[in-house]
Amino acid sequence: MRARHGHMLPRALSALALCLATAYAQAAAPLGDAGAMPSHAPVRAATTAAAAPAPVAMIAAADAAPAHPYAQAHSMAQMNPDVVRALIAADQETTLAAPMAGRITELHMSLGSSFAAGDTLLAFDCAESLARAKIARAELKGARENYQAKSRLRALKAAGDVEVNLASASVDKGVGQLELSQAQAEECAVKAPFDGRVARLHVKQYQGVNLGAPLADIISDGPLKLRINAPSRWLKTLKPGMAFQVTVDETGRSYPAKVSAIGARVDAAAQAVEIEGRFDGSFPELLAGMSGTVHFPEIQ
């Protein structure tokens, strides 16, 4: 109860002050023509307007302000189920991961740079791996010498079959150790798996990385493809090779394309099926990651 009276007291005092100010204005201001509003009416209107809460005024101003055309179009596209979006993607894309833990000594790529399949994109410090390969090669040489010696002794009846077989197994083990060390040494250089460009670089030269750490995102330099989540009700009409138009937001132009693949599963929650398309021509201004809307004349 005390808290309630504490909140009501300031309101009562404010109302009393407003009444006193109004009475004083009525007594002081002369009356105009008959039926005319007293001169204090603008004062009350102004007082009421000034007393209006700021959030209410902001909401009213926001309602009165016209919406941005792009915001209206985007909102209509989200509310209209017939508007289908498409994403432009590279034919091949992947993230290169570190095949070993070590320090990067050479970096032959940068953001947006082009490369060919088989090019060395970066290299690690490979001194330790090369040293292991030398050790494995020397051990294999010793195992072979021991096997040959055991074989000669067996011919002289001075060694048994078990000793010869153990020597032969040591040779096989040495071969495996050498192949393993050579494979580890080859991982010191990361080569490009296909022709393409660097979309994102995650590392710098002389940086130390762990096994499996991302090195770079790369995309193929070939023709682009379209990824579309189409309504599943289109399946009765969709077919590979069907022509359609795609309007790209970033360029504002429409491009011809054809359906190249239709997904084998329908998303039950979204009632959509994934389809892929290919551009019917070469358009250098298009880049992976752009998006737009599609129009199928035979369906929409």
Side-chain angles (χ1 to χ4, degrees):
M1 292 292 294
R2 291 181 179 178
R4 182 176 180 183
H5 288 304
H7 287 297
M8 294 177 62
L9 182 59
R11 296 181 183 177
L13 292 176
S14 299
L16 179 61
L18 181 59
C19 292
L20 292 175
T22 304
Y24 177 79
Q26 289 178 350
L31 293 176
D33 297 336
M37 182 179 292
S39 60
H40 65 272
V43 177
R44 292 183 61 186
T47 305
T48 305
V56 176
M58 293 175 63
I59 294 174
D63 292 338
H68 195 277
Y70 178 79
Q72 289 181 343
H74 184 67
S75 178
M76 292 176 61
Q78 288 183 334
M79 296 175 62
N80 189 356
D82 294 330
V83 176
V84 178
R85 302 286 300 177
L87 175 67
I88 301 177
D91 189 30
Q92 290 180 296
E93 55 183 329
T94 188
T95 299
L96 297 177
M100 58 180 294
R103 183 173 60 91
I104 299 173
T105 56
E106 300 178 15
L107 188 63
H108 304 294
M109 58 179 172
S110 58
L111 183 64
S113 61
S114 301
F115 52 82
D119 288 351
T120 300
L121 301 180
L122 59 86
F124 291 89
D125 184 3
C126 209
E128 184 177 353
S129 298
L130 293 175
R132 289 199 191 100
K134 289 182 178 180
I135 294 173
R137 194 175 292 108
E139 289 179 347
L140 176 59
K141 183 179 179 181
R144 285 174 174 169
E145 290 289 342
N146 183 45
Y147 172 71
Q148 293 174 359
K150 294 295 183 181
S151 298
R152 288 193 295 267
L153 289 175
R154 186 177 61 176
L156 298 174
K157 305 296 182 179
D161 294 339
V162 174
E163 295 177 332
V164 175
N165 292 337
L166 290 175
S168 177
S170 298
V171 172
D172 294 339
K173 181 180 178 181
V175 171
Q177 291 288 352
L178 180 59
E179 291 177 351
L180 176 61
S181 60
Q182 289 176 342
Q184 291 175 343
E186 290 176 357
E187 290 179 347
C188 294
V190 178
K191 299 184 179 297
F194 48 75
D195 298 344
R197 300 176 63 186
V198 178
R200 184 180 180 184
L201 194 61
H202 297 277
V203 295
K204 299 178 181 179
Q205 191 173 9
Y206 307 119
Q207 178 180 342
V209 297
N210 294 324
L211 176 66
L215 302 176
D217 297 338
I218 59 175
I219 59 176
S220 62
D221 209 12
L224 300 172
K225 64 181 179 182
L226 290 162
R227 293 178 178 173
I228 307 167
N229 285 328
S232 57
R233 64 179 183 273
W234 287 9
L235 284 173
K236 58 185 178 182
T237 310
L238 278 173
K239 58 183 178 180
M242 178 179 288
F244 63 94
Q245 293 285 326
V246 54
T247 302
V248 180
D249 296 340
E250 286 78 5
T251 63
R253 294 177 52 191
S254 294
Y255 304 88
K258 293 182 180 180
V259 176
S260 59
I262 301 176
R265 182 177 60 184
V266 173
D267 187 344
Q271 289 297 301
V273 60
E274 184 177 358
I275 64 175
E276 288 187 358
R278 298 282 181 175
F279 286 101
D280 194 6
S282 178
F283 306 101
E285 69 272 17
L286 297 180
L287 297 174
M290 292 183 176
S291 62
T293 56
V294 297
H295 175 66
F296 285 79
E298 300 182 27
I299 301 178
Q300 295 171 301

